[in-house]
Amino acid sequence: MHAHPQPSAEAIRASADRTFGIEIQALQALQGRIDARFVQAVDLILGCSGRIVVTGIGKSGHIARKIAATLASTGTPAFFMHAAEAIHGDLGMLTGQDILLAISYSGSAQELITIISVAKRMGTRIIALTGHAESELASNADLTLDAAVDQEACPLNLAPTASTTAALVLGDAIAVACLEARGFNREDFARSHPGGALGRRLLTSVADIMRRGAALPCVAPGTLIPDALTEMSSKGMGMTIVLEGKRPVGLFTDGDLRRMIAQHGDIRTLPVSAGMSRHPRSITATAPAIEAASIMDEHKLNQMLVLDEDGLLLGALHMHDLLAAKVI
C-alpha cells in the first residue's frame, strides 16, 4: 500500500459528516416508502405458526443475524440461517410453517436464489428485503420490501454502508411493529433476557432471595434484651423477629435498641417486647423482589418480613440481600 499524508482533523470530521448525511437521507427516503407491503409483511409474520428464519450472506448476513436476534428477543420466534451453510445442510432448519426473510441488497446472491427455490417447493412463505425490486430474489418472493438507497456512504459507492443501515432499520421497524401488535411488555422482555439487569429486577421473586429457617433471628416477646442482642448478633440482620408461635408480633432492630437506651438507660432487665416495633411491614414470598426494594426504600427500612396468606412467618429480607442479588 502507498503511504498517504495524515488527514487533518477537519477532513476527518467532514468525512464523518458526509457519512451521517448520506445515511440519514437514506433512512428518510426509506421512511417515505413504508406502505401497504410493510403492513402485509408484519401481518404475515404475526400470523406465522412457525418461526421467522432470517437469511443472508456477507454484510447482509451480519444484518440478518441482528434482525433475527431482535425479533427473537421481542416476542417473535426467529433465528438466523447463514445462506452459505444453508445450501450445505442447514436448510434442514426450514419448514413449510416458517417464513423466510431473505436479505440481499442486489437480490442476486446465488446462495439465496438456491434457498428460495427450495423454500418455495416446501410451501414456505418468502419475504425479500432488497434494494432491487426487479431482481431474481424479489420476483420469486411472496412479498418484497424495498430497501433501496441512492448511494452508499463509501466514496467509491461500493462498501455496503447506507444500504446495510437501511436494511437494519427496516428490520427494527418490523420487530417493533410486531412487538406492539403482540402487546409485548417489560415482563415479557425480562423473560427473554433472564441474565440481564432487567431480567433480574423483574423475574427475581422475594422467595428467591429471602432468608429462612435457621438463618432467621427469632425470639419470644418475653426474651430479655441481652439475649435478644445475642440472637441479633449471631444472625447478622441488624434485628430480631419477635414471635408468638409462628406469628410475628414485632421487630426489634438496632434503632429500637438505641431508643431504649436513650429512654431507660439500663435495659438489661427489660423484655424485648418493651421496645419492639409493632406491626412491622411485610410482603408475600411470591411478590417481585423489586417491589420489596421499592417499599423498603420508600419507608427507609433495612429489613422486611415475609409472611404467608395467614400472617405466619416464612422468611425475611435485608437490603443487603437485594443488593447481592443485583435487584437494586
Side-chain angles (χ1 to χ4, degrees):
M1 295 179 63
H2 299 293
H4 295 283
Q6 183 70 24
S8 66
E10 290 76 11
I12 293 172
R13 284 195 291 268
S15 174
D17 285 341
R18 283 193 299 274
T19 298
F20 273 89
I22 290 169
E23 299 210 13
I24 288 169
Q25 288 175 8
L27 292 180
Q28 289 173 335
L30 178 63
Q31 186 178 21
R33 296 198 302 272
I34 297 298
D35 56 16
R37 289 173 297 177
F38 180 85
V39 176
Q40 292 168 11
V42 171
D43 285 342
L44 199 61
I45 290 171
L46 290 171
C48 179
S49 61
R51 297 149 305 171
I52 312 305
V53 182
V54 193
T55 189
I57 196 167
K59 302 298 187 295
S60 292
H62 295 305
I63 299 301
R65 188 184 296 274
K66 192 274 178 186
I67 291 172
T70 301
L71 286 166
S73 71
T74 54
T76 299
F79 64 86
F80 169 71
M81 181 177 68
H82 193 284
E85 297 295 338
I87 62 176
H88 292 285
D90 281 1
L91 258 175
M93 299 176 179
L94 196 64
T95 74
Q97 287 71 50
D98 298 331
I99 289 175
L100 182 68
L101 176 56
I103 304 174
S104 168
Y105 189 75
S106 69
S108 60
Q110 286 305 303
E111 293 87 350
L112 264 68
I113 303 305
T114 301
I115 290 170
I116 62 172
S117 66
V118 176
K120 286 173 72 71
R121 289 196 296 272
M122 295 171 62
T124 305
R125 303 296 295 275
I126 302 165
I127 300 173
L129 199 162
T130 180
H132 292 81
E134 306 302 322
S135 63
E136 189 172 358
L137 173 62
S139 63
N140 282 282
D142 296 289
L143 189 63
T144 298
L145 298 176
D146 180 7
V149 298
D150 289 337
Q151 62 176 322
E152 300 286 7
C154 166
L156 303 176
N157 203 35
L158 294 175
T161 44
S163 60
T164 47
T165 299
L168 179 62
V169 173
L170 194 51
D172 284 344
I174 292 170
V176 172
C178 290
L179 176 157
E180 293 178 343
R182 295 182 195 280
F184 193 83
N185 58 32
R186 289 170 61 87
E187 286 71 24
D188 296 322
F189 189 88
R191 278 189 285 275
S192 62
H193 298 76
L198 180 62
R200 285 193 298 272
R201 293 184 68 201
L202 296 184
L203 298 181
T204 302
S205 71
V206 168
D208 292 331
I209 60 174
M210 70 182 188
R211 306 188 197 189
R212 63 185 81 204
L216 295 176
C218 298
V219 297
T223 304
L224 296 181
I225 296 295
D227 296 326
L229 292 179
T230 300
E231 178 70 358
M232 289 171 64
S233 299
S234 68
K235 302 300 172 63
M237 289 192 73
M239 62 86 172
T240 185
I241 305 162
V242 185
L243 288 176
E244 286 185 348
K246 290 187 177 182
R247 188 176 301 277
V249 294
L251 205 62
F252 188 77
T253 67
D254 290 335
D256 294 322
L257 174 64
R258 289 191 295 271
R259 282 187 289 273
M260 284 194 76
I261 292 173
Q263 183 178 358
H264 300 284
D266 187 353
I267 59 172
R268 289 175 294 177
T269 60
L270 295 176
V272 71
S273 59
M276 69 183 183
S277 301
R278 299 179 184 273
H279 311 295
R281 292 192 177 272
S282 64
I283 196 167
T284 64
T286 55
I290 190 63
E291 181 182 330
S294 178
I295 295 171
M296 292 169 76
D297 180 63
E298 179 184 355
H299 297 282
K300 305 297 187 289
L301 304 175
N302 286 323
Q303 308 92 352
M304 181 182 291
L305 301 185
V306 184
L307 307 182
D308 67 12
E309 58 186 12
D310 296 318
L312 303 182
L313 182 68
L314 291 176
L317 281 175
H318 192 282
M319 186 63 77
H320 292 164
D321 302 328
L322 299 166
L323 290 168
K326 297 182 179 179
V327 172
I328 55 175

